Amino acid sequence: MLNNSITDSEGDNSLGIKEQIFKYLRQWKWFLLSVFLFLFLAKLYLRYSIPEYKSQTTLLIKRDESGGMASELAAFEDLGLFSGPKKDIDDEMEVLKSRSLIAKTIKEGKFNVSYVLEGRIKSSESYKENPIDVDFKEKTEKFFEKDTTLSIKILSSKKFELFNANNSRIGDFNFGQVISSKELGDYVVNINHENAKDINYKISVKLESLKNATNKFKSKFQVATITKFTNVLEISFTDPVKEKSEDFLDKLVVIYNNDAIIDKNLISEKTAQFINDRLAIITNELDGVEKDVEKYKNKNNITDLPAEAELYLKNSSESNKEEIIVGTQLKVVGIMIDFMRKNNNDDIIPANIVPEDNNSSTLIAEYNNLVIERNRVLKSSTLENPIVIRVNDKINFLKSSISESLNKLKSSLIIKNNAIINQGNIVGGRISQIPRQEREFRGIFRQQQIKEELYLYLFKKREETAITLAATAPISKVVDYAYSSDIPISPKGSLIFLVSLIIGLLIPFSIIYLLDLLDTKVKNRHDLDAKLTIPFIGDVPHSDDNNEIMQSGSRTSSAEAIRIVRTNLEFVLSNIETNDKAKTIFLTSTLPKEGKTFITINLAATIAISGKKVLLIGMDIRNPKLDEYVKLPARGLTNFLSTKDSDIKDFIVNQKGYENFDILPAGAIPPNPAELLMSKKVEAMFEQLKSEYDYIVVDTAPVSLVTDTLLISKNADAFIYVVRANYLEKASLRIPELLYKENKLPNMCVLLNDTDNVAGYGYGYYQEKAKQPWYKKIFNFSFFG
């Protein structure tokens, strides 16, 4: 039993999945129509939408920091004043995305002015190949502050008609004529004859405010690094006009580099100006110091203090030496004078001790020779010798001459010695002043050296700054100039068609799912199995002819389904003991209009066709419906029950076309239907009729409205409870379930009527419907019918 339950559960799940899939597949026409519609709308969208193209340029941000601020500040690095900063790639990305740079590019490139060629369905922007060109010569302050539009209608090759933003006519003008405007200033409209081939068409010249244009361009502008560890930036811009995007990117990069160069040159120029100012000050100071040196040297009669000091020291040394020599010579001369004074004529005068003096030395030598000659003569003669006398006279004369010569030499040596002393005193005085002069001069000289070194340093840096200023390199290098892809990034055709296809499938799917989710009606057997424990006898599909009565040759899906119900009914009745009496089958439903009467009359007809004698009784006496299917008399069951001594056979009629098919009409609608059905004549009637027929099929009233069916249920052998698909609320299934559990309706089973599923019935033998034209087939269906 457990295995059978598992198998049944798996089979139910499989059937449930198939039912869900089939629920969508059978609405394939709606899916097809929805997909076709959305694909068509996608085609129209792509046809009339303005494509957006992506343009991009690649920029290398340099890190070497050559030139500019870093190099100029580096001019003072050896003084320890500044150090060079490192470039941050993120900072440059923010500079490139800045509003100021974008706004400057828009102004210089005139990207806030666009020329639009008006079309019947869509308008397109013209760039570079404009039929006209508007030259704004003198712009007012409001030119970049307000959005405005000028419409120009070309009348001829010489004239045009001008309209303002409100499409109000301003007037006719000649091409090249200066037009004055309070808001725009003076401007001239020129015609490009090569591009203006047609006339009598309008061109809109749209001027955006700088603020709005900057916002729009910034929203389309992106800057990103190629990889995480690189200095290469990819700058992209999207716009309907590829050439405009490329020009904008190239212009922006040029302005970016120019601004960077200007920033670098600004520092260089400031540095050069600073150096020039300092050079002027240092030059004046240096001139003052040099004049102080000149004055000091003039005042102290010096040219080169160290050289003069050395010379003074040398002169002082030589003077001391001369003073010693002259002093010695004076002493020698004094000794000689004393010697000459004490000497007699017999002594030899010392020679070679007298300072170099030619006269005295000669006289002494001559004197000594005479003394030696006289002494030699005296050895052989006397003093009276005339020779000796003459010689003595000469000796005396020479002695007197030598004394006089020595006295003169002494006087000259004294003069010379005094002069040396005086000169030594002078040199000594100058030497004593040298330390003071050197100290004073060094103070002045030190200032001169500082000024000279600073002057030379600044002069050198000025030349370096001038070279740097002349050779300032851009901050970036263009790796790839702006280029655009031929494939638009928006709208993407493949993506639009894919999304349209998905939406085309999703909308009918969502509608079906939503309607199914919101629909609380019974749809199929699975809904019954989920709510009921009542045995299921079968389902009958929708019939196009609601008044159809089965014939022996009927091959419709409904006829085949009722035949299956008849077969299943035989299994239900096979376990019921009727004692060779008629098998009584009651049919009821929850609500009216569930097809109970349709099932009843066709089930009875099906049994009758099989050769069984069948009686159909209409016991829905409050709302009889049998006369809608067959032609019946007005008298019937109610008339029989309300009269005495009447025969039931007088009210039974035979259905034409059937040999064994009789019908007992409901009769006139009584004022007291419940009382009539509670009468003993009802039970007696069934006892009588059961013995005369093989099957009695009874059409009863809906159980949720009245109690008529419950009052006569004891006369039934089996109950078929009809549930109409897409009609009965699922919540109402609790009524038949309660009746089944309380066993108020004997041998109860449920039948599902008016289902959508026709597969499996007839096995191809049912009657084919008349073929419909294709356009009727498309529209002759609904989501749930």
Side-chain angles (χ1 to χ4, degrees):
M1 291 295 292
L2 182 60
N3 292 335
N4 291 336
S5 298
I6 294 175
T7 304
D8 293 342
S9 177
E10 292 177 352
D12 291 342
N13 291 335
S14 177
L15 290 174
I17 294 173
K18 291 181 179 179
E19 178 65 23
Q20 290 295 322
I21 294 175
F22 183 74
K23 178 176 65 177
Y24 295 101
L25 289 180
R26 67 170 174 251
Q27 308 297 343
W28 64 270
K29 297 178 182 179
W30 284 114
F31 283 95
L32 182 62
L33 179 62
S34 177
V35 168
F36 175 78
L37 176 61
F38 277 96
L39 290 178
F40 178 72
L41 292 176
K43 183 67 176 178
L44 287 179
Y45 173 77
L46 292 174
R47 170 65 178 82
Y48 295 108
S49 63
I50 299 176
E52 294 273 344
Y53 295 92
K54 181 179 180 180
S55 301
Q56 56 190 23
T57 183
T58 310
L59 203 62
L60 172 64
I61 303 300
K62 298 180 180 179
R63 281 187 178 272
D64 56 359
E65 304 297 341
S66 59
M69 181 186 298
S71 64
E72 298 311 321
L73 296 181
F76 300 95
E77 285 182 7
D78 48 4
L79 298 180
L81 299 179
F82 301 100
S83 61
K86 294 184 178 179
K87 183 62 61 183
D88 190 347
I89 193 70
D90 293 333
D91 294 342
E92 296 307 316
M93 290 175 63
E94 293 302 321
V95 172
L96 285 166
K97 293 188 292 185
S98 64
R99 290 176 55 86
S100 58
L101 180 61
I102 295 175
K104 188 174 183 180
T105 305
I106 292 172
K107 288 183 70 175
E108 292 192 12
K110 301 179 181 179
F111 293 109
N112 63 318
V113 181
S114 57
Y115 299 85
V116 179
L117 302 179
E118 298 180 0
R120 287 178 294 180
I121 298 178
K122 73 171 184 178
S123 300
S124 59
E125 182 179 352
S126 175
Y127 185 73
K128 288 188 176 180
E129 296 181 355
N130 307 322
I132 61 169
D133 179 69
V134 181
D135 183 12
F136 296 94
K137 295 185 175 298
E138 295 184 5
K139 303 180 182 67
T140 62
E141 295 180 356
K142 297 181 179 179
F143 182 83
F144 291 103
E145 297 178 0
K146 185 179 179 181
D147 294 341
T148 187
T149 302
L150 297 175
S151 295
I152 298 172
K153 183 178 182 181
I154 300 176
L155 301 177
S156 66
S157 60
K158 295 183 179 180
K159 284 191 175 184
F160 65 91
E161 192 174 7
L162 185 62
F163 300 85
N164 60 15
N166 299 323
N167 206 24
S168 299
R169 184 176 179 274
I170 298 176
D172 295 344
F173 300 92
N174 294 324
F175 289 108
Q177 179 180 346
V178 178
I179 304 172
S180 298
S181 172
K182 294 181 179 179
E183 294 183 353
L184 303 179
D186 294 340
Y187 59 93
V188 175
V189 179
N190 300 313
I191 186 171
N192 299 323
H193 294 283
E194 295 181 358
N195 300 326
K197 299 179 180 179
D198 300 325
I199 60 174
N200 293 326
Y201 66 92
K202 276 189 177 182
I203 303 169
S204 296
V205 182
K206 295 185 177 181
L207 288 84
E208 286 185 286
S209 66
L210 187 60
K211 179 180 179 181
N212 293 340
T214 303
N215 292 334
K216 184 177 76 172
F217 277 59
K218 185 174 176 60
S219 64
K220 299 179 179 182
F221 186 77
Q222 290 183 343
V223 181
T225 55
I226 299 295
T227 59
K228 186 177 181 180
F229 303 102
T230 184
N231 294 336
V232 180
L233 300 179
E234 182 182 84
I235 308 173
S236 60
F237 184 76
T238 58
D239 195 76
V241 184
K242 294 186 289 185
E243 295 81 3
K244 184 177 181 180
S245 301
E246 294 170 1
D247 290 348
F248 174 78
L249 290 178
D250 289 338
K251 188 72 174 178
L252 182 133
V253 171
V254 170
I255 293 176
Y256 167 73
N257 281 329
N258 288 341
D259 286 349
I261 292 174
I262 290 173
D263 291 340
K264 292 180 180 181
N265 288 345
L266 178 64
I267 301 299
S268 300
E269 290 171 357
K270 291 291 184 181
T271 304
Q273 183 179 355
F274 168 78
I275 292 174
N276 289 330
D277 292 342
R278 293 304 304 167
L279 277 175
I281 295 173
I282 295 301
T283 301
N284 292 332
E285 292 179 353
L286 185 59
D287 290 342
V289 172
E290 289 178 347
K291 288 180 180 179
D292 291 341
V293 172
E294 181 183 358
K295 290 179 181 180
Y296 186 82
K297 288 184 176 181
N298 291 332
K299 179 180 178 182
N300 293 275
N301 297 319
I302 58 176
T303 55
D304 188 356
L305 185 61
E308 290 186 359
E310 184 179 358
L311 180 62
Y312 289 153
L313 291 175
K314 184 177 180 181
N315 290 339
S316 176
S317 176
E318 292 178 354
S319 178
N320 291 333
K321 289 179 181 180
E322 289 181 355
E323 184 178 358
I324 293 172
I325 293 172
V326 172
T328 302
Q329 290 176 348
L330 279 174
K331 289 180 179 181
V332 171
V333 171
I335 293 171
M336 289 299 294
I337 290 174
D338 291 338
F339 179 79
M340 291 299 294
R341 190 170 49 246
K342 296 177 179 180
N343 185 22
N344 51 32
N345 294 335
D346 296 330
D347 295 328
I348 298 299
I349 299 174
N352 297 330
I353 62 172
V354 179
E356 184 177 354
D357 180 67
N358 294 329
N359 190 26
S360 295
S361 298
T362 302
L363 292 175
I364 291 173
E366 187 178 353
Y367 176 84
N368 289 332
N369 290 329
L370 288 175
V371 172
I372 292 171
E373 179 66 24
R374 188 194 64 181
N375 292 333
R376 184 180 64 82
V377 173
L378 286 178
K379 289 180 178 181
S380 61
S381 66
T382 61
L383 294 170
E384 285 80 8
N385 188 337
I387 296 172
V388 171
I389 294 173
R390 275 198 313 268
V391 171
N392 285 330
D393 292 336
K394 288 184 178 179
I395 291 172
N396 292 329
F397 176 78
L398 287 173
K399 183 176 180 180
S400 174
S401 296
I402 291 171
S403 297
E404 183 179 359
S405 177
L406 288 173
N407 288 327
K408 290 182 179 178
L409 178 60
K410 181 178 180 180
S411 298
S412 66
L413 288 174
I414 291 172
I415 294 171
K416 184 177 181 181
N417 187 48
N418 291 333
I420 291 172
I421 291 172
N422 290 335
Q423 183 66 28
N425 291 334
I426 294 172
V427 172
R430 298 299 293 264
I431 291 174
S432 65
Q433 293 179 355
I434 286 176
R436 176 183 62 80
Q437 291 178 344
E438 184 176 8
R439 175 178 57 79
E440 293 176 352
F441 184 75
R442 282 189 178 276
I444 300 173
F445 182 70
R446 187 182 302 111
Q447 291 295 323
Q448 184 184 23
Q449 279 188 319
I450 292 173
K451 302 299 181 183
E452 285 181 352
E453 289 182 5
L454 185 57
Y455 177 84
L456 294 175
Y457 177 80
L458 291 176
F459 189 83
K460 175 183 177 183
K461 293 304 178 182
R462 185 179 69 175
E463 295 303 314
E464 292 177 357
T465 303
I467 294 173
T468 302
L469 185 62
T472 302
I475 195 173
S476 65
K477 176 185 178 183
V478 178
V479 179
D480 288 323
Y481 287 95
Y483 63 96
S484 304
S485 173
D486 293 331
I487 301 175
I489 61 169
S490 173
K492 294 183 177 180
S494 57
L495 181 61
I496 295 296
F497 281 119
L498 178 61
V499 172
S500 300
L501 177 62
I502 294 174
I503 294 176
L505 295 173
L506 188 60
I507 286 182
F509 176 85
S510 301
I511 293 175
I512 295 172
Y513 177 78
L514 185 62
L515 291 177
D516 184 54
L517 188 66
L518 298 176
D519 188 14
T520 58
K521 309 292 184 182
V522 176
K523 292 292 182 183
N524 47 45
R525 179 181 175 178
H526 301 292
D527 294 337
L528 297 179
D529 292 341
K531 298 286 184 179
L532 302 177
T533 59
I534 307 172
F536 184 77
I537 195 172
D539 54 359
V540 177
H542 175 76
S543 176
D544 293 332
D545 187 1
N546 294 332
N547 297 324
E548 175 188 12
I549 300 179
M550 279 190 58
Q551 304 294 330
S552 59
S554 297
R555 291 294 182 269
T556 63
S557 58
S558 299
E560 294 296 337
I562 293 176
R563 289 189 179 99
I564 294 175
V565 172
R566 180 195 67 189
T567 303
N568 293 336
L569 184 61
E570 290 295 332
F571 288 101
V572 175
L573 296 174
S574 61
N575 296 325
I576 300 174
E577 185 64 36
T578 60
N579 298 322
D580 296 330
K581 291 184 177 182
K583 297 177 180 179
T584 307
I585 306 161
F586 281 31
L587 284 90
T588 187
S589 63
T590 305
L591 300 172
K593 297 183 180 181
E594 290 198 64
K596 167 179 59 63
T597 303
F598 172 79
I599 298 297
T600 301
I601 193 170
N602 279 284
L603 180 61
T606 302
I607 298 174
I609 291 172
S610 66
K612 303 295 183 179
K613 190 174 182 180
V614 179
L615 174 64
L616 171 61
I617 302 176
M619 297 195 74
D620 187 1
I621 59 178
R622 296 175 187 267
N623 187 21
K625 294 293 183 179
L626 289 176
D627 55 354
E628 294 182 1
Y629 295 89
V630 295
K631 188 176 182 181
L632 297 174
R635 299 170 69 252
L637 177 64
T638 57
N639 302 97
F640 167 73
L641 295 177
S642 61
T643 58
K644 297 180 180 179
D645 302 328
S646 57
D647 189 357
I648 189 63
K649 294 182 180 179
D650 295 336
F651 300 95
I652 297 174
V653 296
N654 180 263
Q655 176 62 26
K656 293 181 180 181
Y658 299 86
E659 295 181 1
N660 302 314
F661 187 12
D662 294 336
I663 301 176
L664 174 59
I669 299 175
N672 55 345
E675 287 76 6
L676 288 179
L677 295 176
M678 291 173 64
S679 67
K680 295 181 180 180
K681 290 184 69 175
V682 174
E683 188 174 351
M685 178 191 70
F686 275 105
E687 287 295 329
Q688 177 185 348
L689 295 175
K690 284 182 179 182
S691 61
E692 297 177 2
Y693 290 92
D694 296 323
Y695 286 87
I696 298 175
V697 181
V698 182
D699 180 24
T700 64
V703 296
S704 66
L705 301 180
V706 293
T707 60
D708 297 358
T709 301
L710 298 177
L711 295 175
I712 60 175
S713 61
K714 60 184 177 179
N715 299 301
D717 293 324
F719 257 92
I720 297 177
Y721 199 99
V722 178
V723 175
R724 184 179 178 183
N726 302 312
Y727 180 77
L728 184 67
E729 296 285 342
K730 293 178 182 179
S732 299
L733 292 176
R734 60 184 176 82
I735 297 175
E737 179 67 13
L738 182 62
L739 294 173
Y740 178 74
K741 288 182 177 180
E742 294 178 355
N743 201 23
K744 291 183 177 181
L745 302 180
N747 296 314
M748 185 177 174
C749 57
V750 65
L751 181 145
L752 185 61
N753 182 34
D754 199 21
T755 62
D756 296 330
N757 188 7
V758 298
Y761 295 120
Y763 301 98
Y765 297 109
Y766 57 83
Q767 294 177 351
E768 294 184 0
K769 299 178 183 179
K771 293 184 177 180
Q772 294 178 320
W774 63 271
Y775 57 89
K776 288 187 178 180
K777 289 181 180 180
I778 292 179
F779 296 102
N780 191 22
F781 65 92
S782 63
F783 279 113
F784 296 104

